[in-house]
mmCIF file of all heavy atoms in Angstrom:
data_model
loop_
_atom_site.group_PDB
_atom_site.id
_atom_site.type_symbol
_atom_site.label_atom_id
_atom_site.label_comp_id
_atom_site.label_asym_id
_atom_site.label_seq_id
_atom_site.Cartn_x
_atom_site.Cartn_y
_atom_site.Cartn_z
ATOM 1 N N VAL A 1 -39.426 93.585 -11.964
ATOM 2 C CA VAL A 1 -39.510 94.342 -13.211
ATOM 3 C C VAL A 1 -38.237 95.146 -13.450
ATOM 4 O O VAL A 1 -37.728 95.215 -14.579
ATOM 5 C CB VAL A 1 -40.748 95.263 -13.203
ATOM 6 C CG1 VAL A 1 -40.748 96.193 -14.414
ATOM 7 C CG2 VAL A 1 -42.028 94.433 -13.185
ATOM 8 N N ALA A 2 -37.691 95.744 -12.406
ATOM 9 C CA ALA A 2 -36.460 96.526 -12.543
ATOM 10 C C ALA A 2 -35.310 95.683 -13.073
ATOM 11 O O ALA A 2 -34.438 96.193 -13.785
ATOM 12 C CB ALA A 2 -36.082 97.145 -11.199
ATOM 13 N N MET A 3 -35.334 94.384 -12.756
ATOM 14 C CA MET A 3 -34.276 93.482 -13.197
ATOM 15 C C MET A 3 -34.645 92.749 -14.481
ATOM 16 O O MET A 3 -33.996 91.767 -14.850
ATOM 17 C CB MET A 3 -33.956 92.489 -12.082
ATOM 18 C CG MET A 3 -33.497 93.132 -10.776
ATOM 19 S SD MET A 3 -32.087 94.261 -10.966
ATOM 20 C CE MET A 3 -30.803 93.096 -11.434
ATOM 21 N N GLY A 4 -35.694 93.218 -15.170
ATOM 22 C CA GLY A 4 -36.036 92.677 -16.475
ATOM 23 C C GLY A 4 -37.115 91.608 -16.474
ATOM 24 O O GLY A 4 -37.365 90.980 -17.510
ATOM 25 N N GLY A 5 -37.804 91.399 -15.351
ATOM 26 C CA GLY A 5 -38.833 90.378 -15.263
ATOM 27 C C GLY A 5 -40.201 90.876 -15.681
ATOM 28 O O GLY A 5 -40.402 92.068 -15.955
ATOM 29 N N THR A 6 -41.165 89.958 -15.731
ATOM 30 C CA THR A 6 -42.527 90.279 -16.121
ATOM 31 C C THR A 6 -43.497 89.821 -15.042
ATOM 32 O O THR A 6 -43.138 89.062 -14.139
ATOM 33 C CB THR A 6 -42.897 89.613 -17.460
ATOM 34 O OG1 THR A 6 -42.836 88.185 -17.304
ATOM 35 C CG2 THR A 6 -41.954 90.041 -18.564
ATOM 36 N N LEU A 7 -44.759 90.296 -15.162
ATOM 37 C CA LEU A 7 -45.781 90.015 -14.152
ATOM 38 C C LEU A 7 -47.049 89.472 -14.793
ATOM 39 O O LEU A 7 -47.388 89.817 -15.930
ATOM 40 C CB LEU A 7 -46.133 91.299 -13.387
ATOM 41 C CG LEU A 7 -45.007 92.049 -12.691
ATOM 42 C CD1 LEU A 7 -45.528 93.364 -12.122
ATOM 43 C CD2 LEU A 7 -44.380 91.202 -11.595
ATOM 44 N N TYR A 8 -47.760 88.628 -14.039
ATOM 45 C CA TYR A 8 -49.127 88.261 -14.379
ATOM 46 C C TYR A 8 -50.055 89.340 -13.833
ATOM 47 O O TYR A 8 -49.908 89.755 -12.681
ATOM 48 C CB TYR A 8 -49.518 86.934 -13.732
ATOM 49 C CG TYR A 8 -48.911 85.702 -14.354
ATOM 50 C CD1 TYR A 8 -48.012 84.909 -13.635
ATOM 51 C CD2 TYR A 8 -49.258 85.303 -15.645
ATOM 52 C CE1 TYR A 8 -47.469 83.763 -14.187
ATOM 53 C CE2 TYR A 8 -48.707 84.158 -16.201
ATOM 54 C CZ TYR A 8 -47.822 83.392 -15.476
ATOM 55 O OH TYR A 8 -47.288 82.259 -16.025
ATOM 56 N N PRO A 9 -51.050 89.787 -14.606
ATOM 57 C CA PRO A 9 -51.955 90.817 -14.096
ATOM 58 C C PRO A 9 -52.908 90.325 -13.020
ATOM 59 O O PRO A 9 -53.356 91.104 -12.184
ATOM 60 C CB PRO A 9 -52.715 91.271 -15.342
ATOM 61 C CG PRO A 9 -52.651 90.122 -16.275
ATOM 62 C CD PRO A 9 -51.322 89.471 -16.021
ATOM 63 N N GLU A 10 -53.233 89.030 -13.026
ATOM 64 C CA GLU A 10 -54.209 88.519 -12.054
ATOM 65 C C GLU A 10 -53.926 87.048 -11.765
ATOM 66 O O GLU A 10 -54.248 86.166 -12.562
ATOM 67 C CB GLU A 10 -55.628 88.686 -12.586
ATOM 68 C CG GLU A 10 -56.712 88.419 -11.562
ATOM 69 C CD GLU A 10 -56.684 89.399 -10.400
ATOM 70 O OE1 GLU A 10 -57.048 90.577 -10.589
ATOM 71 O OE2 GLU A 10 -56.307 88.968 -9.291
ATOM 72 N N ILE A 11 -53.300 86.794 -10.620
ATOM 73 C CA ILE A 11 -52.903 85.432 -10.251
ATOM 74 C C ILE A 11 -54.102 84.487 -10.169
ATOM 75 O O ILE A 11 -54.042 83.339 -10.618
ATOM 76 C CB ILE A 11 -52.151 85.454 -8.898
ATOM 77 C CG1 ILE A 11 -50.788 86.126 -9.065
ATOM 78 C CG2 ILE A 11 -51.980 84.047 -8.343
ATOM 79 C CD1 ILE A 11 -49.790 85.345 -9.862
ATOM 80 N N ARG A 12 -55.198 84.939 -9.627
ATOM 81 C CA ARG A 12 -56.336 84.056 -9.377
ATOM 82 C C ARG A 12 -56.973 83.524 -10.657
ATOM 83 O O ARG A 12 -57.747 82.565 -10.604
ATOM 84 C CB ARG A 12 -57.391 84.774 -8.542
ATOM 85 C CG ARG A 12 -58.024 85.987 -9.213
ATOM 86 C CD ARG A 12 -58.998 86.697 -8.308
ATOM 87 N NE ARG A 12 -59.496 87.926 -8.914
ATOM 88 C CZ ARG A 12 -60.332 88.765 -8.312
ATOM 89 N NH1 ARG A 12 -60.755 88.500 -7.093
ATOM 90 N NH2 ARG A 12 -60.722 89.869 -8.927
ATOM 91 N N ASP A 13 -56.654 84.134 -11.812
ATOM 92 C CA ASP A 13 -57.190 83.666 -13.086
ATOM 93 C C ASP A 13 -56.374 82.530 -13.687
ATOM 94 O O ASP A 13 -56.784 81.938 -14.694
ATOM 95 C CB ASP A 13 -57.260 84.815 -14.094
ATOM 96 C CG ASP A 13 -58.313 85.848 -13.723
ATOM 97 O OD1 ASP A 13 -59.200 85.517 -12.910
ATOM 98 O OD2 ASP A 13 -58.238 86.986 -14.240
ATOM 99 N N LEU A 14 -55.229 82.212 -13.092
ATOM 100 C CA LEU A 14 -54.370 81.164 -13.634
ATOM 101 C C LEU A 14 -54.815 79.792 -13.133
ATOM 102 O O LEU A 14 -55.211 79.648 -11.980
ATOM 103 C CB LEU A 14 -52.914 81.414 -13.222
ATOM 104 C CG LEU A 14 -52.305 82.754 -13.648
ATOM 105 C CD1 LEU A 14 -50.904 82.902 -13.060
ATOM 106 C CD2 LEU A 14 -52.266 82.866 -15.165
ATOM 107 N N PRO A 15 -54.765 78.774 -13.971
ATOM 108 C CA PRO A 15 -55.166 77.425 -13.548
ATOM 109 C C PRO A 15 -54.345 76.949 -12.344
ATOM 110 O O PRO A 15 -53.115 77.074 -12.327
ATOM 111 C CB PRO A 15 -54.862 76.571 -14.785
ATOM 112 C CG PRO A 15 -54.882 77.523 -15.930
ATOM 113 C CD PRO A 15 -54.360 78.811 -15.391
ATOM 114 N N GLY A 16 -55.032 76.439 -11.347
ATOM 115 C CA GLY A 16 -54.366 75.883 -10.184
ATOM 116 C C GLY A 16 -53.911 76.880 -9.144
ATOM 117 O O GLY A 16 -53.370 76.485 -8.103
ATOM 118 N N ARG A 17 -54.139 78.167 -9.385
ATOM 119 C CA ARG A 17 -53.710 79.184 -8.420
ATOM 120 C C ARG A 17 -54.870 79.566 -7.500
ATOM 121 O O ARG A 17 -56.024 79.570 -7.902
ATOM 122 C CB ARG A 17 -53.202 80.439 -9.133
ATOM 123 C CG ARG A 17 -52.016 80.218 -10.045
ATOM 124 C CD ARG A 17 -50.734 79.879 -9.313
ATOM 125 N NE ARG A 17 -49.629 79.782 -10.240
ATOM 126 C CZ ARG A 17 -48.784 80.783 -10.498
ATOM 127 N NH1 ARG A 17 -48.913 81.943 -9.861
ATOM 128 N NH2 ARG A 17 -47.823 80.632 -11.386
ATOM 129 N N MET A 18 -54.520 79.917 -6.265
ATOM 130 C CA MET A 18 -55.509 80.388 -5.310
ATOM 131 C C MET A 18 -55.743 81.887 -5.481
ATOM 132 O O MET A 18 -55.011 82.557 -6.215
ATOM 133 C CB MET A 18 -55.036 80.099 -3.878
ATOM 134 C CG MET A 18 -53.852 80.933 -3.436
ATOM 135 S SD MET A 18 -53.354 80.625 -1.715
ATOM 136 C CE MET A 18 -52.479 79.077 -1.924
ATOM 137 N N ASN A 19 -56.742 82.397 -4.815
ATOM 138 C CA ASN A 19 -56.990 83.831 -4.780
ATOM 139 C C ASN A 19 -56.103 84.444 -3.704
ATOM 140 O O ASN A 19 -56.308 84.224 -2.512
ATOM 141 C CB ASN A 19 -58.461 84.110 -4.489
ATOM 142 C CG ASN A 19 -58.783 85.602 -4.509
ATOM 143 O OD1 ASN A 19 -57.918 86.425 -4.796
ATOM 144 N ND2 ASN A 19 -60.014 85.944 -4.190
ATOM 145 N N HIS A 20 -55.109 85.214 -4.133
ATOM 146 C CA HIS A 20 -54.166 85.825 -3.197
ATOM 147 C C HIS A 20 -54.609 87.218 -2.747
ATOM 148 O O HIS A 20 -53.899 87.871 -1.983
ATOM 149 C CB HIS A 20 -52.776 85.926 -3.832
ATOM 150 C CG HIS A 20 -52.065 84.620 -3.972
ATOM 151 N ND1 HIS A 20 -51.017 84.247 -3.153
ATOM 152 C CD2 HIS A 20 -52.262 83.588 -4.819
ATOM 153 C CE1 HIS A 20 -50.588 83.050 -3.511
ATOM 154 N NE2 HIS A 20 -51.332 82.635 -4.521
ATOM 155 N N ARG A 21 -55.744 87.671 -3.247
ATOM 156 C CA ARG A 21 -56.168 89.035 -2.937
ATOM 157 C C ARG A 21 -56.641 89.182 -1.490
ATOM 158 O O ARG A 21 -57.015 88.218 -0.829
ATOM 159 C CB ARG A 21 -57.286 89.463 -3.884
ATOM 160 C CG ARG A 21 -56.789 89.834 -5.269
ATOM 161 C CD ARG A 21 -57.857 90.532 -6.065
ATOM 162 N NE ARG A 21 -57.354 91.054 -7.332
ATOM 163 C CZ ARG A 21 -56.752 92.230 -7.468
ATOM 164 N NH1 ARG A 21 -56.578 93.007 -6.406
ATOM 165 N NH2 ARG A 21 -56.338 92.643 -8.638
ATOM 166 N N MET A 22 -56.627 90.443 -1.023
ATOM 167 C CA MET A 22 -57.107 90.779 0.307
ATOM 168 C C MET A 22 -58.600 90.466 0.414
ATOM 169 O O MET A 22 -59.360 90.786 -0.499
ATOM 170 C CB MET A 22 -56.876 92.268 0.576
ATOM 171 C CG MET A 22 -57.380 92.768 1.911
ATOM 172 S SD MET A 22 -57.049 94.543 2.133
ATOM 173 C CE MET A 22 -58.170 95.261 0.908
ATOM 174 N N PRO A 23 -59.034 89.858 1.509
ATOM 175 C CA PRO A 23 -60.475 89.659 1.699
ATOM 176 C C PRO A 23 -61.204 90.998 1.629
ATOM 177 O O PRO A 23 -60.736 91.986 2.212
ATOM 178 C CB PRO A 23 -60.561 89.053 3.104
ATOM 179 C CG PRO A 23 -59.222 88.433 3.340
ATOM 180 C CD PRO A 23 -58.239 89.302 2.614
ATOM 181 N N PRO A 24 -62.325 91.082 0.927
ATOM 182 C CA PRO A 24 -62.998 92.368 0.736
ATOM 183 C C PRO A 24 -63.651 92.915 1.997
ATOM 184 O O PRO A 24 -63.879 94.125 2.097
ATOM 185 C CB PRO A 24 -64.056 92.063 -0.328
ATOM 186 C CG PRO A 24 -64.307 90.598 -0.190
ATOM 187 C CD PRO A 24 -62.996 89.995 0.206
ATOM 188 N N ASP A 25 -63.960 92.049 2.945
ATOM 189 C CA ASP A 25 -64.650 92.472 4.160
ATOM 190 C C ASP A 25 -63.864 92.046 5.395
ATOM 191 O O ASP A 25 -62.939 91.241 5.320
ATOM 192 C CB ASP A 25 -66.060 91.862 4.211
ATOM 193 C CG ASP A 25 -66.899 92.255 3.008
ATOM 194 O OD1 ASP A 25 -66.975 93.463 2.722
ATOM 195 O OD2 ASP A 25 -67.462 91.343 2.358
#
């Protein structure tokens, strides 16, 4: 972002992407 880039708010909602989040338990 500091260099002018953008972010997806939630990777797991994108087609073909895995859930990168921390396991809840």
